Amino acid sequence: MTAAPHPDPAVVGLQRLVEGVSGLRWNPAQLPGALERLSPLLAAHGGLPGLLSTARAQPRVAEQVAAAFTVGETWFMRIREQLLALPDLVPRPSGGVVRAWSAGCSTGEEAYALAAVFQERGVPVEVWGSDLRADAVLSAQRGEYGRWSFRGVDDALRDRHFERCGEAFRARPALRQAARFLVHNLQDPAPMTGLSVVSCRNVTIYLQPEAVQRVYARLVAALVPGGVLLLAPSDPRPDAALGLELVPLPGASAFRRPAARPEVPRMERPVTPARPVPFTPVPAVPAGPPVDAFAEVRRRAYERPEDPDAQLALALALLDAGQPDRAARTLKFVQTLLDRPDLPEWTLARGQAALAAARQRLERP
Ligand SMILES: C[S@@+](CC[C@H](N)C(=O)[O-])C[C@H]1O[C@@H](n2cnc3c(N)ncnc32)[C@H](O)[C@@H]1O
């Protein structure tokens, strides 16, 4: 049975925006909490109609609005049977480094767990974690968690990868170096390819059915042949047209992109114009204690002058802060960093894609 439309036309507009931008399924019960989370943005735009008209013109604002409707529940080693099976399951690339993506990583526990299971077996690994929620991505970058994030996790495993930091546990340097995070909307093309593992668990369960299969098609296209897709037992099944093989595991299952299948069917969104993929977040809707996002991004950039990711984040923050000249100078500097001959191939590819996206934003009127 379809629910009656909300009597307030602004709320109907909000529903359309959230569904269109994120693919999320509208749940009216989330409205009060989401409006509460959006209160700083609502105040800044003089109410819902004002916020909606800005969001319609600015995709990043629209994503921030949609992000208020997400559910971010997560913990380290969730569905451990899948994670523990991975090192024996995934193809090892010729360079030896396994690349993995936690798509919809929330505050990052899943990404760090992916890194940990490979490091436990001595396998070099690079993990990208991405989420629509900029505040969650910032929290993932901090890599500090309370006890609740480790529920059901063996203390010894936790302590091998996290060190105590007061009441919290902070990812140790080896784990932190293996995991990188970015804001990414799963409605956009995948920000990377050549992956041995994509984990997108407990994410598509919240999406509309049409959006789910488009997301899966993109995730599968990002996998190398033989690469593994992890979904949670409650997530919708991938369409048979994607040609995935079901891999039974003790107490769980996974999907594998067949080694012999070169092409993945295209299941694109019908009418949405192409948009650049934001590289690193600058949240305007802080969750929990307020974060001075600009200062944080600037601090990272000054601390890591050689790091293209940190410099790109600074360029985007400058763009957001309405300082296009400084942003342009920073982007030029990023180009010089990407010209370095010793840069790993993957970092170069990611950096170039993000640089192109940032330049597009700079050139937009
Ligand atoms: C319940 S958490 C799952 C976290 C982790 N994968 C796990 O299994 O524990 C779902 C996450 O998906 C993210 N999400 C929902 N829709 C998204 C979209 N369109 N693009 C990117 N992330 C999205 C939410 O922000 C949220 O952090």
Side-chain angles (χ1 to χ4, degrees):
M1 202 177 71
T2 320
H6 197 279
D8 181 347
V11 173
V12 176
L14 179 64
Q15 173 176 355
R16 293 216 176 102
L17 182 97
V18 169
E19 290 173 341
V21 163
S22 63
L24 285 166
R25 211 163 357 97
W26 182 256
N27 175 358
Q30 287 180 307
L31 187 60
L35 290 175
E36 179 65 37
R37 278 191 285 279
L38 287 171
S39 52
L41 270 186
L42 287 165
H45 291 84
L48 190 51
L51 176 58
L52 288 179
S53 72
T54 307
R56 285 186 193 112
Q58 296 182 28
R60 293 191 90 198
V61 175
E63 284 175 350
Q64 285 168 352
V65 172
F69 288 83
T70 57
V71 174
E73 175 69 1
T74 186
W75 63 92
F76 191 72
M77 296 301 287
R78 187 177 192 179
I79 323 177
R80 66 173 55 244
E81 299 81 1
Q82 289 180 324
L83 296 170
L84 294 175
L86 279 176
D88 294 320
L89 209 60
V90 302
R92 304 265 175 96
S94 53
V97 181
V98 167
R99 290 170 183 165
W101 177 20
S102 166
C105 68
S106 189
T107 40
E109 287 90 329
E110 180 182 65
Y112 287 116
L114 284 167
V117 291
F118 285 100
Q119 290 187 347
E120 286 278 303
R121 301 279 293 273
V123 179
V125 62
E126 286 178 351
V127 182
W128 284 91
S130 71
D131 203 276
L132 187 66
R133 278 178 48 205
D135 62 294
V137 170
L138 269 186
S139 171
Q141 282 170 342
R142 274 196 293 277
E144 273 180 33
Y145 300 101
R147 276 184 191 283
W148 188 234
S149 284
F150 297 96
R151 51 196 184 267
V153 176
D154 179 37
D155 286 357
L157 173 67
R158 180 197 63 202
D159 294 345
R160 278 198 293 280
H161 298 278
F162 292 82
E163 58 201 354
R164 265 179 200 270
C165 167
E167 285 299 294
F169 297 87
R170 180 195 288 139
R172 291 185 186 274
L175 195 68
R176 188 184 285 279
Q177 275 157 22
R180 314 295 288 272
F181 296 93
L182 69 154
V183 172
H184 172 69
N185 183 352
L186 289 170
Q187 297 299 300
D188 288 329
M192 61 210 78
T193 54
L195 299 161
S196 296
V197 184
V198 174
S199 179
C200 185
R201 304 181 303 168
N202 306 294
V203 177
T204 56
I205 189 173
Y206 298 107
L207 301 186
Q208 302 158 70
E210 320 78 84
V212 171
Q213 298 303 329
R214 283 197 303 269
V215 169
Y216 286 159
R218 294 198 171 114
L219 301 182
V220 174
L223 284 170
V224 293
V228 171
L229 172 67
L230 296 185
L231 301 176
S234 47
D235 292 330
R237 301 292 86 186
D239 203 291
L242 291 171
L244 293 170
E245 296 166 355
L246 182 69
V247 185
L249 304 171
S253 62
F255 293 91
R256 193 197 293 279
R257 180 178 181 180
R261 188 183 176 87
E263 283 292 310
V264 171
R266 287 175 66 80
M267 300 172 88
E268 294 303 316
R269 266 198 291 186
V271 284
T272 313
R275 275 193 297 124
V277 176
F279 188 65
T280 303
V282 183
V285 193
V291 176
D292 183 347
F294 186 82
E296 171 71 12
V297 169
R298 199 173 43 192
R299 184 186 60 75
R300 278 170 64 84
Y302 285 135
E303 276 176 11
R304 300 160 70 175
E306 304 267 283
D307 179 351
D309 291 351
Q311 299 305 322
L312 264 163
L314 176 62
L316 289 177
L318 288 165
L319 269 177
D320 284 342
Q323 300 183 39
D325 294 343
R326 288 186 62 200
R329 279 200 297 279
T330 310
L331 287 178
K332 265 195 192 155
F333 177 56
V334 173
Q335 182 63 68
T336 62
L337 293 176
L338 294 179
D339 287 341
R340 269 187 1 220
D342 59 332
L343 213 60
E345 193 190 325
W346 200 40
T347 309
L348 178 64
R350 281 277 316 127
Q352 281 172 339
L355 184 62
R359 283 192 176 132
Q360 254 178 307
R361 279 195 57 204
L362 185 66
E363 283 154 19
R364 233 183 274 159

